[in-house]
Amino acid sequence: MNKIFKWGIIGPGRIAQKFAAALEIVPNATLHAVASRDLKKARQFAATYKAPFFYDNYETLADNPDIDAVYIATPHTFHHAHVLLCLKKKKAVLCEKPMSVNFASTAEMILAARQNNVFLMEAMWTRFLPIIDKTMQLIKEGEIGEVKYLSADFGFVAPFDAKSRLYDLALGGGSLLDVGIYPLFLALFILGKPDNIKAFSHLAATGADETTSAILFYKNGTMANILSSITAQTPITAEITGTKGTIILDRPWYKGASIRVRKNDVITKTFSLPTGKNGFEFQVMEVQKCLEQGLTESDAMSPGFSLLLSEVMEDIYGMSNIAYKIQPLV
């Protein structure tokens, strides 16, 4: 019989609800415990998703000997402290994207995982959707020739609230860290590390970026254009253009179910792919597969790639003089 993996969740917010729902979908996964600084919130979350344990502090969850893996879903600036807490307790960790808010703290987290010989992966759920693997397959097979240009966006409207996680720098606010990471992920996953970057941001009164646009340049002439916003509903489309045609990831591309290939302004191929019941189950299965195999890193979403994401994000928001500080464990 397959092992039943017992999960813990630190930070039972909106995104954690989706993750907990995914655990109900995966046959050999179960939610074992949840922790929040607000005991009432932890109790309600545990009742909703049938977790037998709930705590008002994160240390007690990390000390639970029955937990196999912990999903970190706290605000971005707290990821560093909460991941390190779990790694030191020898708990496998799936950390919600972004891994952290700057390159140095991301590197420290990865080093800690390796020193403790414990699994760590960034929860970039889009990476594990079948649409992404199919896109890479088409590119590698030469379906569109040599890739020359990529464009992707992700924007939505969030009413201004200086104290919300989207606008408060102390919580890792801003469009780039929240949703810009998706188009940036796609560009880096397909094209790799850029040779040059140009970026512009419009900042809210809090200093967080409301809208960010960046162009990634590569020595071979390839370019990528990414856009993120929390003040405008953008098309949420993605296209990869090569010397022979274009791959179109239909909107909303980051959780899409279809790909089209266009050549000479004619759609020549269409592919429909599964998205799962809520999309998060694919990353759960990846973590559990790695743990079953005794792995401490995933080849599909490697620590090296998370470092690259963190490095390029820091370069982009640094061009607008944005700086984030990690928050201590409290």
Side-chain angles (χ1 to χ4, degrees), residues 45-109:
F45 194 97
T48 299
Y49 296 100
K50 301 178 178 62
F53 298 97
F54 57 90
Y55 309 112
D56 64 357
N57 69 89
Y58 306 141
E59 294 86 350
T60 305
L61 184 145
D63 282 329
N64 187 315
D66 296 324
I67 291 175
D68 297 296
V70 180
Y71 173 62
I72 306 294
T74 48
H76 307 326
T77 50
F78 291 94
H79 288 179
H80 174 266
H82 299 153
V83 167
L84 291 184
L85 169 68
C86 293
L87 293 177
K88 290 174 182 177
K89 301 290 186 176
K90 305 295 185 179
K91 290 290 188 287
V93 175
L94 176 65
C95 179
E96 184 53 46
K97 55 80 187 164
M99 184 81 83
S100 190
V101 293
N102 55 51
F103 178 81
S105 57
T106 300
E108 184 181 354
M109 294 156 67

Side-chain angles (χ1 to χ4, degrees), residues 12 49 58 65 91 132 137 153 209 286 327:
Y49 296 100
Y58 306 141
K91 290 290 188 287
I132 299 299
Q137 177 190 341
D153 69 272
D209 69 294
E286 173 66 15
Q327 299 294 330

Side-chain angles (χ1 to χ4, degrees), residues 16 27 58-60 105 118 129 145 174 181 209 213 219 255 276-277:
Y58 306 141
E59 294 86 350
T60 305
S105 57
V118 180
L129 296 180
I181 192 172
D209 69 294
S213 178
K219 289 180 179 178
K255 59 177 181 179
K277 292 186 177 179

Side-chain angles (χ1 to χ4, degrees), residues 5-27:
F5 286 88
K6 295 180 178 180
W7 285 81
I9 291 178
I10 288 179
R14 180 184 58 82
I15 199 72
Q17 294 175 18
K18 189 171 182 179
F19 186 83
L23 293 180
E24 296 176 338
I25 298 166
V26 180

Side-chain angles (χ1 to χ4, degrees), residues 3 5-8 19 23 26 28-29 67-72 91-96 99 118-125 127-128 280-302:
K3 172 183 171 62
F5 286 88
K6 295 180 178 180
W7 285 81
F19 186 83
L23 293 180
V26 180
N28 58 335
I67 291 175
D68 297 296
V70 180
Y71 173 62
I72 306 294
K91 290 290 188 287
V93 175
L94 176 65
C95 179
E96 184 53 46
M99 184 81 83
V118 180
F119 182 87
L120 173 64
M121 189 180 86
E122 185 173 6
M124 178 59 68
W125 68 285
R127 161 63 190 98
F128 298 99
F280 273 40
E281 64 266 43
F282 295 107
Q283 64 180 349
V284 173
M285 291 187 285
E286 173 66 15
V287 173
Q288 296 185 173
K289 181 188 74 174
C290 290
L291 295 180
E292 284 180 333
Q293 296 175 359
L295 302 176
T296 57
E297 298 180 1
S298 165
D299 288 337
M301 187 67 195
S302 70

Side-chain angles (χ1 to χ4, degrees), residues 51-330:
F53 298 97
F54 57 90
Y55 309 112
D56 64 357
N57 69 89
Y58 306 141
E59 294 86 350
T60 305
L61 184 145
D63 282 329
N64 187 315
D66 296 324
I67 291 175
D68 297 296
V70 180
Y71 173 62
I72 306 294
T74 48
H76 307 326
T77 50
F78 291 94
H79 288 179
H80 174 266
H82 299 153
V83 167
L84 291 184
L85 169 68
C86 293
L87 293 177
K88 290 174 182 177
K89 301 290 186 176
K90 305 295 185 179
K91 290 290 188 287
V93 175
L94 176 65
C95 179
E96 184 53 46
K97 55 80 187 164
M99 184 81 83
S100 190
V101 293
N102 55 51
F103 178 81
S105 57
T106 300
E108 184 181 354
M109 294 156 67
I110 291 170
L111 178 62
R114 290 171 173 169
Q115 288 177 335
N116 286 280
N117 196 35
V118 180
F119 182 87
L120 173 64
M121 189 180 86
E122 185 173 6
M124 178 59 68
W125 68 285
T126 297
R127 161 63 190 98
F128 298 99
L129 296 180
I131 192 174
I132 299 299
D133 284 333
K134 185 62 178 180
T135 297
M136 287 300 294
Q137 177 190 341
L138 291 171
I139 291 171
K140 290 178 179 179
E141 291 175 349
E143 183 67 38
I144 60 170
E146 182 184 0
V147 175
K148 303 303 293 183
Y149 179 71
L150 180 150
S151 65
D153 69 272
F154 193 154
F156 66 102
V157 178
F160 179 75
D161 178 356
K163 296 181 179 180
S164 74
R165 69 169 188 86
L166 289 173
Y167 285 96
D168 188 349
L169 283 180
L171 300 177
S175 74
L176 179 64
L177 293 187
D178 191 64
V179 292
I181 192 172
Y182 289 103
L184 181 59
F185 149 75
L186 187 67
L188 298 180
F189 188 65
I190 292 174
L191 303 175
K193 184 177 181 177
D195 297 298
N196 198 3
I197 302 169
K198 299 293 183 184
F200 299 91
S201 298
H202 182 267
L203 306 184
T206 58
D209 69 294
E210 291 182 337
T211 300
T212 290
S213 178
I215 301 178
L216 313 183
F217 297 90
Y218 296 81
K219 289 180 179 178
N220 65 357
T222 302
M223 297 184 189
N225 194 337
I226 65 169
L227 173 70
S228 62
S229 180
I230 52 175
T231 59
Q233 177 64 61
T234 67
I236 315 183
T237 56
E239 295 190 0
I240 303 116
T241 297
T243 53
K244 296 180 181 178
T246 297
I247 296 172
I248 304 164
L249 282 68
D250 289 329
R251 70 180 309 275
W253 72 265
Y254 72 98
K255 59 177 181 179
S258 61
I259 301 171
R260 291 174 292 151
V261 177
R262 183 178 63 218
K263 296 182 179 180
N264 298 320
D265 290 329
V266 176
I267 300 299
T268 58
K269 295 180 180 180
T270 300
F271 302 91
S272 296
L273 297 129
T275 59
K277 292 186 177 179
N278 85 352
F280 273 40
E281 64 266 43
F282 295 107
Q283 64 180 349
V284 173
M285 291 187 285
E286 173 66 15
V287 173
Q288 296 185 173
K289 181 188 74 174
C290 290
L291 295 180
E292 284 180 333
Q293 296 175 359
L295 302 176
T296 57
E297 298 180 1
S298 165
D299 288 337
M301 187 67 195
S302 70
F305 185 77
S306 291
L307 277 174
L308 176 59
L309 260 177
S310 186
E311 178 184 5
V312 175
M313 280 195 297
E314 188 170 58
D315 287 343
I316 291 173
Y317 65 64
M319 292 180 187
S320 295
N321 297 316
I322 301 170
Y324 294 97
K325 294 181 180 179
I326 58 174
Q327 299 294 330
L329 182 66
V330 292

